[in-house]
Amino acid sequence: MAKRNKPVRPKARVPKGLRDIGAGEVRALDAMLSGIRSVYELYGFEPLDTPAFEYTDALGKFLPDQDRPNEGVFSFQDEDEQWLSLRYDLTAPLARFVAENYDGLAKPFRRYQFGPVWRNEKPGPGRYRQFMQFDADTVGTASVAADAELCMMAADCLEALGIKRGDYVMRVNNRKVLDGILERIGIAGDDAGYEAQRMTVLRAIDKLDRLGPEGVRLLLGEGRKDESGDYTKGAGLSDDHAGLIMAFVETEADSRDGVVERLREIVGDSETGLAGVAELAEISALGAAAGYGEDRVRLDPSVVRGLGYYTGPVFEAELTFSAQNEKGETVRFGSVGGGGRYDGLVQRFKGVEVPATGFSFGVSRLQTALETTGALAAAAVAAPVIVLVMDRDNLADYQKLTFDLRSAGIRAEMYLGTSGMRAQMKYADRRGAPAVVIQGEDERARGEVTIKDLEKGARLSGEIADNEEWRSGRPAQVSVPQSGLIDAVREILSHQQD
Amino acid sequence: MAKRNKPVRPKARVPKGLRDIGAGEVRALDAMLSGIRSVYELYGFEPLDTPAFEYTDALGKFLPDQDRPNEGVFSFQDEDEQWLSLRYDLTAPLARFVAENYDGLAKPFRRYQFGPVWRNEKPGPGRYRQFMQFDADTVGTASVAADAELCMMAADCLEALGIKRGDYVMRVNNRKVLDGILERIGIAGDDAGYEAQRMTVLRAIDKLDRLGPEGVRLLLGEGRKDESGDYTKGAGLSDDHAGLIMAFVETEADSRDGVVERLREIVGDSETGLAGVAELAEISALGAAAGYGEDRVRLDPSVVRGLGYYTGPVFEAELTFSAQNEKGETVRFGSVGGGGRYDGLVQRFKGVEVPATGFSFGVSRLQTALETTGALAAAAVAAPVIVLVMDRDNLADYQKLTFDLRSAGIRAEMYLGTSGMRAQMKYADRRGAPAVVIQGEDERARGEVTIKDLEKGARLSGEIADNEEWRSGRPAQVSVPQSGLIDAVREILSHQQD
């Protein structure tokens, strides 16, 4: 038998490293964003929305952990053969925006922006090629009061989202302090020849959480072999030099003032280093004056941030509590955002330095943490009441019942399929509907409607664990005159909210 | 003199056809979306967020007005050399999502989605390569009650956004009616040989608004030369056939029933055509039952929608009022959204037909219209109160004043630049600040603050047209004990809201 050629059908699959986001997560995200936005607004930041892609040359090459130029981004050419790239963060487009509109901006310019960014990187568990960022940046001032403000604002955001004081901390450091130490070691400053080495040092320190002091020390020196046997080449510093950096990274003291004092000793007479220490002292003083104690804004020299472009204060928002995840495992959430000062980024375009500093929430990490604490539960929206269709010839009547419910502000659907009663009840169940509205022929003749309360019988309270048992418990139902529909449904919904 | 080589600096420019969206527009957009979303939610639709790009083969080739396959989209390859494209609408990704997750979805499946889409087309005035869409779709039911529901929901959205009844209309047609007529003409059905001709007919009808009946008639026949002398080839129909289509397109009657009757005559004995007319009659009846009169949901055979994939009802949301724009010109807004039934789109993946229908708001057009009517004015957010810095050595004190304002829920900024009083006042002016807070050395010694009301002096009321005059009017100011700061600022803000 000759087979007929079938038409080639594309396979329906979401692209590698991307994902669809369902209703619950979209709503939780909205709730979280609206909490952050209200704090950003309170601080005088204004929203800005830049497009999804930029000219590749305008984006620059500021991807973290990206050694290969122009890798890590999704790029394509327009019809003029100019290269375009999807933005990999919201900072590079801001630098382009500021440079393009410099004269028209009231400065210092505070803006916030929320949106997806894209990275052409190897996907992994929880690591996607599209993810959200929510940034706030202040452009046009060199004052570290701007950095201090961002730290306090991030702290306010976390509290606005329901994270208790003591369960988070803003960790603050200053790149100039590290630069001062690198000066002492002899690989600092504008000497491009040492740039790769400096980046290796930065990335080594950035791994302190994961590798511990021993691992970092190896990466500062010759290099390190991990458990899988892979070897990472180190920065090649001498033991003395690596020791100096470790002393810096592990600086601890009882108070912010204590940290400042110890850092002053470590940087010695490096001007850059001393300037960095002075800035840290000022941020500390500003925090104290506004009532942000060391429990909220902490000086922590182990914070360096992996990005090459930071030039002064750097900071990280860390969640310090542990929680049980769905699988009963204890998880620590760690960093949920960070930022710092990048005085050189706008300079790429303008040739003159435009001081700037910014903070960015790692939206998806923060959301995971908030879901675990239950802070986003309020974002849940009641599923709609379903009006069953018992008799397709009278669709307009069911439409009218649905319309009446909606007019009263009650989320409602008419069942739109063609299936019978059983399938309709199953649909209502899958939708998580709080109630269904039923009007059969007899009821219509009597001018009545029946409302089944689908949550009665303890589906939500969890008292009855067994599904079979719940079903046999027969959800409660009431029949009322059609004019009493709204009141009866409202009564059922209000009981369910208890 | 030898010139030194300057480093090559990238030019800061937003890519061609893209744009940055400023604070006022972002806020107005949010307000509009939240109005639409609440109506969509009321109807039982659930949010879904699909990623920005898809495998090119999954997106298909459903761009309107796009004769060249795979043109019109931005595409790039991933490391497996598979082609990816930025989505050009939200419908094609929905079809992919539904096909991929078919068994897990409670059907009929109602979802809404908001987000940017991208088109690689020639930009023009008001025509961008990235723009927003806000879609609602119902998948898994062939019932035209789903189409009727979308029409009513769109009407509800427009009213929720402040557009008065009578100022908009949902125009509804049915592709099957047109198909019935094409059957009579002999170019209908599954015969792929006529597909191009059918699309030419569709696009010709779609231009009725712009070209008038004469222009459409030419495009149905030999073709048409426009004012610039460009010639567009027509569908090549005979005069008789073009006449039949024009009779259909121009069908008018006093009532929906009248339109149904006349269409029934025009389609003759075409089964497809009669089925389409019956569906229109049902939509009309459902609308009437729910109280959506002919002023809100109107049968209008001139609506065809340019897209090839529609298979049944098609509809358009039209604003019928005129308004003056900023330049004093009278503008009509016309279509601000549309949609229809596309029973074949999921079939591309699954091989079996999955009935579906959807509606999409043209977000930017709708926003322009709402701005003109002033409906989005409520989205305006008060500019922050600015705390001036009179003495940089006491930054922490000014920080504290700012903090106190924010703690009271008042949007506030400390001036973060290094400039003097005059520049700070200019900054406050450019920011549109309602007030500034001043504390000089003497005031600090006395424990006082001064608040200048920047709007007093009739800057907003417009009574004083001349800027010079306003300045000399000396904005009112009060000095109060520092403990009275919040009350004094609140008092000023409340007066300004009057």
Side-chain angles (χ1 to χ4, degrees):
Chain A
M1 251 171 39
K3 270 196 182 168
R4 282 187 57 184
N5 282 330
K6 280 192 189 171
V8 177
R9 287 203 297 262
K11 190 166 154 30
R13 75 274 186 222
V14 72
K16 190 165 77 173
L18 299 182
R19 68 190 186 112
D20 300 308
I21 300 174
E25 196 177 336
V26 171
R27 289 204 184 95
L29 181 65
D30 279 347
M32 188 176 94
L33 297 176
S34 118
I36 296 173
R37 183 164 44 219
S38 60
V39 174
Y40 283 6
E41 290 266 353
L42 196 59
Y43 274 75
F45 286 71
E46 305 286 348
L48 171 71
D49 206 15
T50 63
F53 53 89
E54 298 276 349
Y55 286 120
T56 303
D57 67 346
L59 273 187
K61 303 165 187 175
F62 296 106
L63 264 178
D65 291 325
Q66 206 61 51
D67 298 313
R68 304 159 295 175
N70 282 338
E71 295 276 337
V73 296
F74 291 102
S75 301
F76 43 95
Q77 280 178 293
D78 74 6
E79 74 279 17
D80 303 338
E81 309 211 327
Q82 295 201 71
W83 278 97
L84 299 158
S85 299
L86 289 177
R87 65 187 179 204
Y88 54 79
D89 71 6
L90 301 175
T91 311
L94 172 66
R96 187 272 305 157
F97 172 84
V98 168
E100 189 174 358
N101 301 281
Y102 195 75
D103 294 331
L105 295 175
K107 285 171 288 286
F109 172 61
R110 288 175 176 91
R111 87 89 179 78
Y112 69 84
Q113 183 169 358
F114 160 73
V117 302
W118 296 267
R119 304 242 171 118
N120 190 358
E121 291 170 349
K122 206 177 156 205
R127 187 183 167 91
Y128 294 98
R129 290 179 160 184
Q130 171 177 328
F131 55 94
M132 294 288 183
Q133 290 191 337
F134 199 157
D135 285 22
D137 293 78
T138 303
V139 180
T141 176
S143 168
V144 294
D147 304 275
E149 180 178 86
L150 288 175
C151 292
M152 295 186 260
M153 184 166 79
D156 284 5
C157 284
L158 294 174
E159 294 196 12
L161 295 173
I163 295 176
K164 285 192 287 289
R165 203 164 294 182
D167 277 353
Y168 71 89
V169 66
M170 291 298 304
R171 301 158 63 210
V172 185
N173 192 13
N174 194 310
R175 275 285 181 83
K176 289 180 188 166
V177 181
L178 180 61
D179 287 343
I181 295 163
L182 297 181
E183 248 177 47
R184 288 187 64 179
I185 292 175
I187 61 168
D190 298 324
D191 192 333
Y194 292 116
E195 200 179 312
Q197 198 176 12
R198 279 199 304 272
M199 283 307 297
T200 310
V201 170
L202 276 181
R203 286 184 196 138
I205 301 175
D206 210 25
K207 288 176 183 146
L208 182 64
D209 257 9
R210 199 143 45 85
L211 305 182
E214 273 318 299
V216 174
R217 203 181 175 112
L218 290 172
L219 286 177
L220 291 173
E222 282 309 301
R224 176 179 176 274
K225 191 182 279 188
D226 67 18
E227 287 109 52
S228 72
D230 282 352
Y231 188 78
T232 308
K233 201 171 170 302
L237 299 183
S238 72
D239 276 0
D240 276 3
H241 289 167
L244 192 62
I245 287 178
M246 290 310 294
F248 161 66
V249 166
E250 300 191 279
T251 304
E252 275 184 15
D254 291 343
S255 66
R256 292 192 285 219
D257 290 349
V259 173
V260 166
E261 212 157 302
R262 298 225 32 206
L263 288 179
R264 201 168 274 140
E265 290 160 17
I266 294 175
V267 296
D269 56 2
S270 153
E271 257 182 58
T272 309
L274 287 170
V277 176
E279 287 181 3
L280 280 178
E282 189 173 352
I283 289 175
S284 169
L286 287 168
Y292 290 75
E294 320 210 355
D295 54 333
R296 291 202 276 169
V297 177
R298 184 184 302 159
L299 302 191
D300 182 342
S302 70
V303 172
V304 294
R305 310 280 305 156
L307 285 165
Y309 60 61
Y310 289 123
T311 55
V314 284
F315 24 88
E316 238 171 56
E318 186 184 339
L319 301 187
T320 53
F321 63 96
S322 305
Q324 305 271 321
N325 68 10
E326 288 165 352
K327 296 176 197 156
E329 300 157 345
T330 300
V331 283
R332 276 195 69 226
F333 299 104
S335 171
V336 291
R341 179 162 286 280
Y342 52 95
D343 284 348
L345 218 49
V346 178
Q347 185 174 22
R348 291 183 58 235
F349 299 102
K350 292 193 60 76
V352 293
E353 193 174 280
V354 177
T357 183
F359 177 83
S360 177
F361 272 115
V363 170
S364 116
R365 267 203 188 184
L366 182 57
Q367 188 169 357
T368 306
L370 292 175
E371 270 160 15
T372 311
T373 64
L376 295 178
V381 166
V385 170
I386 316 283
V387 176
L388 304 191
V389 174
M390 312 301 287
D391 168 9
R392 298 195 58 75
D393 289 339
N394 290 295
L395 219 48
D397 292 335
Y398 298 110
Q399 176 71 58
K400 178 67 169 59
L401 292 177
T402 316
F403 175 82
D404 290 344
L405 289 168
R406 287 174 187 153
S407 297
I410 298 165
R411 229 183 148 209
E413 291 180 6
M414 175 174 77
Y415 180 73
L416 283 175
T418 49
S419 306
M421 172 82 176
R422 198 191 161 97
Q424 296 192 38
M425 284 303 292
K426 194 175 158 198
Y427 171 81
D429 188 41
R430 288 184 74 176
R431 292 286 281 124
V436 296
V437 173
I438 301 172
Q439 190 179 53
E441 209 176 324
D442 295 351
E443 283 151 318
R444 182 176 303 111
R446 289 196 304 271
E448 283 185 357
V449 285
T450 296
I451 303 132
K452 263 188 201 263
D453 179 342
L454 297 187
E455 297 202 354
K456 214 158 182 171
R459 186 160 51 139
L460 277 194
S461 76
E463 285 163 25
I464 302 177
D466 179 70
N467 202 22
E468 207 55 50
E469 193 178 344
W470 172 71
R471 277 197 193 141
S472 68
R474 292 189 65 89
Q477 65 178 63
V478 289
S479 289
V480 297
Q482 189 164 332
S483 62
L485 169 68
I486 306 298
D487 288 341
V489 169
R490 279 211 177 112
E491 165 121 4
I492 287 174
L493 295 180
S494 72
H495 281 307
Q496 291 182 0
Q497 280 164 3
D498 291 344
Chain B
M1 254 172 32
K3 271 196 182 167
R4 282 186 58 186
N5 281 332
K6 280 192 189 170
V8 177
R9 288 204 298 263
K11 188 166 156 31
R13 75 278 186 219
V14 72
K16 189 165 77 172
L18 299 182
R19 69 192 186 110
D20 300 310
I21 300 174
E25 197 177 334
V26 171
R27 289 204 185 95
L29 182 64
D30 279 347
M32 189 176 93
L33 297 177
S34 120
I36 296 174
R37 182 164 43 220
S38 59
V39 175
Y40 283 5
E41 290 267 352
L42 196 59
Y43 274 75
F45 286 71
E46 306 286 347
L48 171 72
D49 207 13
T50 63
F53 52 89
E54 298 277 349
Y55 286 120
T56 304
D57 67 345
L59 273 186
K61 303 163 187 173
F62 297 105
L63 265 178
D65 290 325
Q66 206 62 52
D67 297 313
R68 302 159 298 174
N70 283 338
E71 297 275 337
V73 296
F74 291 102
S75 300
F76 44 95
Q77 281 179 291
D78 73 7
E79 74 279 19
D80 304 337
E81 310 211 326
Q82 295 201 71
W83 278 98
L84 299 157
S85 299
L86 289 175
R87 65 187 179 205
Y88 54 79
D89 71 6
L90 301 175
T91 310
L94 173 66
R96 187 273 304 156
F97 173 84
V98 168
E100 189 173 358
N101 301 282
Y102 195 75
D103 293 333
L105 294 176
K107 284 170 289 286
F109 172 61
R110 289 175 175 90
R111 87 88 180 78
Y112 68 84
Q113 182 169 359
F114 161 73
V117 301
W118 296 268
R119 304 241 171 121
N120 191 356
E121 290 169 350
K122 205 176 158 207
R127 187 183 168 93
Y128 294 99
R129 289 178 161 186
Q130 171 177 330
F131 55 94
M132 295 288 183
Q133 290 191 337
F134 200 157
D135 285 22
D137 293 78
T138 303
V139 179
T141 176
S143 167
V144 294
D147 304 276
E149 180 178 84
L150 288 176
C151 292
M152 295 186 259
M153 184 166 78
D156 283 7
C157 283
L158 294 173
E159 294 196 13
L161 294 173
I163 295 177
K164 285 193 287 291
R165 204 162 294 181
D167 277 353
Y168 72 88
V169 67
M170 292 297 304
R171 301 157 63 211
V172 185
N173 192 11
N174 195 309
R175 276 287 181 84
K176 289 180 188 166
V177 181
L178 181 60
D179 287 344
I181 294 163
L182 297 180
E183 249 178 45
R184 287 187 64 177
I185 291 175
I187 61 168
D190 298 324
D191 192 336
Y194 292 118
E195 201 178 312
Q197 198 178 10
R198 279 198 304 271
M199 283 307 296
T200 310
V201 170
L202 275 181
R203 285 182 197 138
I205 300 175
D206 212 23
K207 287 175 184 146
L208 182 65
D209 257 10
R210 198 145 44 86
L211 305 182
E214 273 318 298
V216 174
R217 204 181 174 110
L218 290 172
L219 286 175
L220 292 173
E222 282 309 304
R224 177 178 174 273
K225 191 182 278 186
D226 67 18
E227 285 110 53
S228 72
D230 283 351
Y231 187 78
T232 308
K233 201 170 168 307
L237 299 183
S238 71
D239 277 2
D240 275 4
H241 290 166
L244 193 61
I245 288 178
M246 290 310 296
F248 162 66
V249 166
E250 300 192 279
T251 303
E252 277 185 14
D254 292 344
S255 67
R256 294 193 283 221
D257 291 348
V259 172
V260 166
E261 209 159 306
R262 297 223 33 203
L263 289 179
R264 201 167 275 143
E265 288 160 20
I266 294 174
V267 297
D269 55 3
S270 153
E271 258 181 56
T272 310
L274 287 169
V277 175
E279 288 180 3
L280 280 178
E282 189 173 352
I283 290 175
S284 169
L286 287 168
Y292 292 75
E294 318 211 355
D295 55 333
R296 292 203 275 170
V297 177
R298 184 185 302 159
L299 302 190
D300 181 342
S302 71
V303 173
V304 295
R305 311 281 304 154
L307 285 164
Y309 60 60
Y310 289 123
T311 54
V314 284
F315 24 88
E316 239 172 56
E318 187 184 338
L319 301 187
T320 53
F321 62 97
S322 305
Q324 305 270 322
N325 68 10
E326 288 165 351
K327 296 176 198 155
E329 300 157 345
T330 300
V331 282
R332 279 195 67 225
F333 299 105
S335 171
V336 290
R341 179 162 285 279
Y342 52 96
D343 284 347
L345 217 47
V346 179
Q347 185 175 23
R348 291 183 58 237
F349 300 102
K350 292 193 63 72
V352 293
E353 192 173 281
V354 176
T357 183
F359 177 83
S360 177
F361 272 115
V363 169
S364 121
R365 267 204 188 184
L366 182 56
Q367 188 170 357
T368 307
L370 292 175
E371 271 159 16
T372 311
T373 64
L376 295 177
V381 166
V385 170
I386 316 285
V387 176
L388 304 191
V389 174
M390 312 300 289
D391 168 8
R392 297 196 58 76
D393 290 338
N394 290 296
L395 219 47
D397 292 335
Y398 298 111
Q399 176 73 58
K400 178 68 169 60
L401 292 178
T402 316
F403 175 82
D404 290 344
L405 288 168
R406 287 175 187 152
S407 297
I410 297 166
R411 223 179 155 214
E413 288 180 9
M414 175 174 76
Y415 180 74
L416 284 174
T418 50
S419 306
M421 173 82 176
R422 197 190 160 95
Q424 296 193 36
M425 285 302 292
K426 194 174 158 199
Y427 171 80
D429 189 40
R430 286 183 75 176
R431 291 285 281 123
V436 295
V437 174
I438 302 172
Q439 189 180 52
E441 210 175 324
D442 296 350
E443 284 152 318
R444 182 176 301 110
R446 288 197 305 270
E448 284 187 355
V449 287
T450 296
I451 303 130
K452 264 188 201 262
D453 180 342
L454 297 187
E455 296 202 356
K456 214 158 183 169
R459 187 159 54 136
L460 278 194
S461 76
E463 284 163 26
I464 302 176
D466 180 69
N467 202 24
E468 207 56 50
E469 193 177 343
W470 171 72
R471 275 193 196 142
S472 67
R474 293 188 65 88
Q477 65 178 60
V478 289
S479 290
V480 296
Q482 190 165 329
S483 61
L485 169 68
I486 306 297
D487 288 341
V489 170
R490 279 212 178 113
E491 165 121 5
I492 287 174
L493 295 180
S494 72
H495 281 308
Q496 290 182 1
Q497 279 163 6
D498 292 345

